[in-house]
Amino acid sequence: MNNQKIWLSSPHMGGNEQNYVNEAFDTNWVAPLGPNVNGLEYDLEWYLGQDVAVGALSSGTAAIHLGLVLLGVQAGDVVLCQSMTFSASANPILYQGAIPVFIDSESQTWNLCPVALEQAIVSEIAKGKKPKAIIAVHLYGVPYQIEAVRAVADAYQIPILEDSAEALGSSYKGQKCGTFGDIGVLSFNGNKIITTSGGGAIVTPTAALKQKALFYATQSRDDAPHYQHSAIGYNYRMSNICAGIGRGQMEVLDSHVSKRRAMHDFYADLFQNYNGISVFTVPNADYFANYWLSAIVVDPLVANGLTRETLRLALEAENIESRPLWKPMHLQPIFQQYSYYGTTIAETLFENGLCLPSGSNLDDEARDRIRNVIVKLIGS
């Protein structure tokens, strides 16, 4: 049997990306502007469908950073952030010299817990620091509790920066993720559901706010015939070449979502008869997940002593990549000094959770190899 590496989530080209890239070379549009950048922004605006404006940037991290800038976050401000996420959600808080405060997950969507969120707001206000922004994440493509989180945010008049880096193609009650926050963020990193090699986008409610973001993203150049700068700027614009890859990827986005969801269904079927192993799934029909990564939780007390690490090592021995869930930010060495509100849900998920190969380019042979490892380890 083929023993080629099965990756957790590898890039998957659709076939037309090269045509857009070649056009960029043929027309000498190799700068961080051009027809592909404009075209990708239009494609994303049309896809999201909520009268939003999209700015293509060099990374999702850049989009989070600019989102904080647009929301007026400054040094010393408190920013509330979901703890169970990738560090790119939280690092830009420190870029601004602001103070991250981390919030536990809830058990249904593994995302920002509305109860812990309100506790944090009340506590921080009592300390004399009303939070300036909330960073909410759609973990692994599963939407957070949209209405509950928004109700808390609105009650205290705190804007939401919606980290939809993992959730392009996901939706809640028919509305696309990336359009629920006061500002939204997308990522097109190499492991995402579609890729521009590296890249991201900021989603704003108005064209004027988009233009303000792009002003900062292009070194904050004032309108003058010479180089003049009255504000701190950044080199955050996406290149026309990378945007060309993105335009080709947008043509296969729905197909990639369908194939990722099929991988989730594969795991749901594979583990349905194993006690102590649960597949991460949306709580009800209001939620539509792209299942960017399929994930499981292993309860050793119920699964006859099986642990997520035993399973990970068994897959690794067969050249199959899997990975523990995101280690919560409040447990990370760089962030341990900051406040945390909640219980141990995020921590327990990290201890027992595992992300499994989920790429839209996985075939039946790959699925058979994964199934064989599970059956050999646990039994049929």
Side-chain angles (χ1 to χ4, degrees), residues 215-216 218-224 226-233:
F215 170 74
Y216 290 124
T218 50
Q219 300 290 14
S220 297
R221 287 182 56 188
D222 292 339
D223 185 14
H226 51 275
Y227 287 94
Q228 178 166 301
H229 309 271
S230 302
I232 295 296

Side-chain angles (χ1 to χ4, degrees), residues 337-352:
Q337 70 193 81
Y338 298 104
S339 298
Y340 168 75
Y341 293 87
T343 58
T344 59
I345 291 176
E347 184 175 348
T348 302
L349 286 169
F350 167 64
E351 290 173 351
N352 297 320

Side-chain angles (χ1 to χ4, degrees), residues 186-238:
L186 303 173
S187 173
F188 313 120
N189 194 28
N191 63 355
K192 293 301 189 293
I193 198 152
I194 64 168
T195 185
T196 57
S197 177
I202 189 165
V203 183
T204 64
T206 66
L209 199 58
K210 168 189 170 177
Q211 290 307 314
K212 188 174 182 180
L214 296 185
F215 170 74
Y216 290 124
T218 50
Q219 300 290 14
S220 297
R221 287 182 56 188
D222 292 339
D223 185 14
H226 51 275
Y227 287 94
Q228 178 166 301
H229 309 271
S230 302
I232 295 296
Y234 310 92
N235 186 18
Y236 280 171
R237 201 68 160 110
M238 181 183 287

Side-chain angles (χ1 to χ4, degrees), residues 60-61 64 79-93 100-106 109-113 134-142 144 161-167 185 187 191-192 280 292-293 323-335 340 345-351 355:
T61 310
I64 293 173
V79 176
L80 306 178
C81 182
Q82 184 167 316
S83 186
M84 174 156 266
T85 184
F86 180 51
S87 63
S89 299
N91 285 338
I93 301 172
V101 170
F102 295 106
I103 312 298
D104 198 6
S105 298
E106 38 79 13
T109 74
W110 296 3
N111 291 308
L112 196 67
C113 174
I134 299 166
I135 298 177
V137 183
H138 304 294
L139 200 70
Y140 304 127
V142 172
Y144 60 78
L161 181 54
E162 179 192 359
D163 184 349
S164 194
E166 301 173 6
V185 169
S187 173
N191 63 355
K192 293 301 189 293
F280 182 35
W292 168 61
L293 291 184
R323 188 174 296 165
L325 304 187
W326 299 125
K327 183 176 182 179
M329 292 299 100
H330 74 280
L331 301 179
Q332 299 283 354
I334 191 66
F335 292 121
Y340 168 75
I345 291 176
E347 184 175 348
T348 302
L349 286 169
F350 167 64
E351 290 173 351
C355 295

